[in-house]
Amino acid sequence: MLFVQYPKCSTCKKAEGWLKEKQVGYESRHIKEENPTAEELAAWIAKSGLPVRKFFNTSGLLYKELQLKDKLGGMSEKEMIDLLATDGMLVKRPLLIGDNGVCVGFKEAEWEKLLNRIS
């Protein structure tokens, strides 16, 4: 499992605590220091079954500064993925990536489902 997070984020801390409590082995990756590439994001988005828009951190400062709420509608999927790859702070977090799926944001029920598909 790959756990992509921003360590200062309270939701990421909660998710990491949940993973430890469930004794899930994972590799941690700091989203700001090691931003996901466009290729990684495209693969994760495809594996998640979610639209690209669900991968944007809509409550983030950068999202708001760039006024992306108004701009995403006119962008292609590739353009959105390329934009996400420019800065990890644009990406919704935490992400939990497994062989059988991807969870975006921390919702215990979804993470539990992903773990159940693995075991």
Side-chain angles (χ1 to χ4, degrees), residues 3-8 28-37 40 85-91 93:
F3 176 59
V4 182
Q5 61 154 330
Y6 182 60
K8 294 179 182 177
S28 182
R29 180 165 156 188
H30 190 303
I31 199 164
K32 184 124 174 95
E33 292 175 359
E34 194 178 345
N35 191 51
T37 65
E40 286 175 318
T86 64
D87 192 315
M89 299 311 277
L90 286 173
V91 181
R93 57 195 181 269

Side-chain angles (χ1 to χ4, degrees), residues 56 68 71-81 83:
F56 278 89
L68 293 178
K71 296 178 182 174
L72 291 181
M75 297 173 76
S76 70
E77 186 171 296
K78 183 186 180 325
E79 288 171 326
M80 286 190 263
I81 291 170
L83 178 59

Side-chain angles (χ1 to χ4, degrees), residues 3-87:
F3 176 59
V4 182
Q5 61 154 330
Y6 182 60
K8 294 179 182 177
C9 166
S10 60
T11 305
C12 293
K13 289 177 186 177
K14 183 177 176 183
E16 188 166 33
W18 185 87
L19 287 170
K20 288 178 179 175
E21 178 185 306
K22 299 283 184 184
Q23 299 179 337
V24 175
Y26 62 91
E27 175 189 338
S28 182
R29 180 165 156 188
H30 190 303
I31 199 164
K32 184 124 174 95
E33 292 175 359
E34 194 178 345
N35 191 51
T37 65
E39 293 77 20
E40 286 175 318
L41 287 161
W44 297 344
I45 290 163
K47 192 185 287 190
S48 76
L50 297 170
V52 179
R53 287 175 157 245
K54 293 287 185 183
F55 280 75
F56 278 89
N57 177 13
T58 57
S59 59
L61 292 175
L62 188 55
Y63 180 90
K64 292 174 183 174
E65 284 174 15
L66 296 174
Q67 299 175 345
L68 293 178
K69 180 180 179 184
D70 302 323
K71 296 178 182 174
L72 291 181
M75 297 173 76
S76 70
E77 186 171 296
K78 183 186 180 325
E79 288 171 326
M80 286 190 263
I81 291 170
D82 288 344
L83 178 59
L84 283 169
T86 64
D87 192 315

